[in-house]
């Protein structure tokens, strides 16, 4: 463990705090998730093992990179070394924009959306896993708090603490994510599926446009009712009809009618952001 010099705590993730650390051999900066597994239930320990096994598989420019883990049995700590994202989390950027009365530009939103769709495509249809193709991975907790930004403001999907490997061993049934981004199928207690991640990403896009989640309520049942109705306010004239329509598709109440990442990645504006047609 003394390979890294601990610096300041920068945030909290599933199961533990996130600390900025410096690798002593070359001075490179990383983020280290620090978990005291004494406090964890058996189920949580299994979920943590699942998270690390999923993270190890994923190699993608728009997914927070996992490097290594250390177990400090003497202190019952697990340390997960990951990519440092200098721009922090998107939830903090949204809060700051709101405070300053600033808005994301349409181009910024399309770029973040394109990058996160590619990241989600890798999870759902992964071909470039570390050891080749991997079973579909559902993130299950996509929200601005779990999207990070690097020094060039590229999006990095992170914190797979609630994710599930869809290898048939444990079909994702329970939902433990953030209610704002909960999809209609989860409210009606159907199984979580890849389209539920699409719904959550659609909610993130709406929040980038308005700085508020699309569905809110004074009570859980009011929030649930609004999600199941799926009615969203039109965007301000700052944003194009094209962006609104694209987001509307991601927020279709019936998950069977919601497009998958493959379809969404065919959109000309998305392809332009990813320089796919040059
Ligand atoms: C105030 N904190 C920050 O600005 C901040 C910074 C500079 N980085 C982060 C977070 C992460 C970071 O930099 N790398 C990460 C890898 C995994 C997870 Cl779950 C989180 C991170 C945060 C929350």
């Amino acid at each position: 463990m003394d390979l890294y010099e601990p610096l300041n705590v920068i945030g909290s993730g599933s199961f533990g705090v996130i600390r900025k650390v410096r690798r002593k051999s070359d001075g490179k900066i990383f983020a280290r998730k620090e978990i005291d597994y004494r406090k964890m239930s058996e189920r949580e320990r299994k979920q943590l093992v699942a998270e690390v096994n999923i993270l190890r598989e994923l190699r993608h420019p728009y997914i927070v990179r996992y490097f290594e883990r250390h177990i400090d049995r003497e202190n019952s700590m697990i340390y997960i070394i990951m990519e440092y994202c200098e721009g922090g989390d998107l939830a903090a950027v949204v809060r700051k924009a709101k405070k300053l009365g600033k808005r994301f530009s349409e181009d910024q939103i399309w770029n973040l959306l394109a990058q996160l769709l590619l990241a989600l495509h890798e999870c759902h249809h992964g071909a470039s896993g570390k050891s080749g193709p991997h079973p579909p991975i559902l993130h299950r907790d996509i929200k601005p708090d779990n999207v990070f930004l690097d020094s060039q403001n590229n999006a990095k999907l992170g914190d797979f603490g609630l994710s599930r490997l869809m290898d048939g061993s444990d079909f994702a049934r329970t939902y433990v994510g953030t209610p704002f981004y909960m999809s209609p199928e989860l409210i009606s207690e159907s199984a979580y599926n890849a389209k539920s991640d699409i719904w959550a990403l659609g909610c993130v896009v709406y929040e980038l446009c308005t700085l508020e989640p699309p569905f809110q309520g004074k009570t859980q049942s009011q929030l649930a009712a609004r999600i199941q109705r799926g009615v969203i306010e039109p965007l301000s004239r700052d944003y194009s009809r094209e962006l609104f329509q694209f987001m509307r598709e991601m927020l279709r109440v019936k998950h069977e009618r919601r497009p998958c990442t493959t379809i969404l990645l065919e959109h000309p504006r998305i392809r332009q952001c990813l320089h796919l047609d040059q």
Side-chain angles (χ1 to χ4, degrees):
M1 255 329 294
D2 59 358
L3 300 177
Y4 295 87
E5 177 195 348
L7 303 173
N8 52 309
V9 170
I10 51 178
S12 60
S14 52
F15 303 121
V17 297
I18 311 281
R19 183 187 300 274
K20 185 177 179 180
V21 295
R22 180 183 292 118
R23 186 161 59 190
K24 289 179 179 174
S25 60
D26 59 3
K28 198 169 168 358
I29 298 291
F30 293 87
R32 182 173 77 183
K33 189 188 275 193
E34 304 180 341
I35 299 144
D36 179 347
Y37 59 82
R38 266 173 308 200
K39 303 174 189 167
M40 293 174 74
S41 66
E42 193 47 41
R43 176 181 173 76
E44 285 172 332
R45 290 181 192 186
K46 283 191 178 135
Q47 182 58 42
L48 177 62
V49 168
E51 176 188 353
V52 174
N53 290 338
I54 283 171
L55 276 173
R56 290 168 110 153
E57 270 304 304
L58 289 166
R59 284 278 192 287
H60 193 272
Y62 302 130
I63 295 176
V64 170
R65 178 77 185 276
Y66 162 95
F67 289 97
E68 55 183 323
R69 65 159 169 70
H70 301 285
I71 299 176
D72 174 358
R73 287 188 172 77
E74 206 175 304
N75 298 303
S76 306
M77 292 295 288
I78 294 178
Y79 299 99
I80 303 177
I81 304 293
M82 294 178 283
E83 173 181 5
Y84 179 68
C85 303
E86 190 175 315
D89 64 83
L90 196 55
V93 177
V94 169
R95 282 194 300 274
K96 189 173 172 193
K98 219 164 149 180
K99 191 176 163 192
L100 299 175
K102 290 199 171 165
R103 290 280 171 146
F104 289 89
S105 72
E106 173 138 349
D107 281 350
Q108 281 173 317
I109 294 171
W110 279 109
N111 277 311
L112 290 170
L113 171 55
Q115 292 170 352
L116 292 170
L117 276 173
L118 263 191
L120 210 43
H121 189 73
E122 172 55 33
C123 294
H124 293 172
H125 306 279
S128 59
K130 179 182 153 202
S131 42
H134 56 71
I137 293 167
L138 304 184
H139 187 283
R140 304 207 312 154
D141 197 16
I142 292 173
K143 56 184 179 180
D145 314 68
N146 288 341
V147 174
F148 303 94
L149 298 169
D150 69 7
S151 52
Q152 277 86 37
N153 274 333
N154 291 310
K156 302 271 180 176
L157 185 56
D159 210 340
F160 286 70
L162 299 175
S163 53
R164 267 284 184 281
L165 202 56
M166 298 312 295
D167 55 5
S169 60
D170 166 18
F171 196 66
R173 287 257 170 244
T174 53
Y175 180 74
V176 286
T178 310
F180 280 142
Y181 308 92
M182 203 170 184
S183 57
E185 60 272 17
L186 289 165
I187 289 169
S188 50
E189 294 176 6
S190 326
Y192 194 95
N193 62 72
K195 300 294 188 68
S196 312
D197 278 344
I198 298 287
W199 173 278
L201 184 54
C203 291
V204 171
V205 176
Y206 184 93
E207 189 161 345
L208 292 178
C209 298
T210 66
L211 307 180
E212 291 289 345
F215 307 103
Q216 301 186 62
K218 291 188 179 62
T219 63
Q220 292 271 19
S221 53
Q222 191 183 58
L223 172 61
R226 288 180 176 168
I227 289 172
Q228 287 181 306
R229 267 203 308 277
V231 174
I232 56 171
E233 294 300 315
L235 299 178
S236 78
R237 269 200 263 272
D238 299 340
Y239 302 110
S240 67
R241 184 165 178 70
E242 189 183 30
L243 178 58
F244 182 72
Q245 295 293 13
F246 191 93
M247 178 185 47
R248 271 255 44 116
E249 288 298 305
M250 299 174 78
L251 293 172
R252 281 184 175 277
V253 170
K254 292 191 182 315
H255 64 87
E256 301 85 354
R257 299 188 59 202
R258 230 172 278 156
C260 65
T261 52
T262 309
I263 299 294
L264 291 166
L265 285 166
E266 286 171 358
H267 190 282
R269 192 68 191 265
I270 295 290
R271 297 183 65 80
Q272 179 194 350
C273 291
L274 301 170
H275 310 298
L276 292 178
D277 294 331
Q278 283 154 3

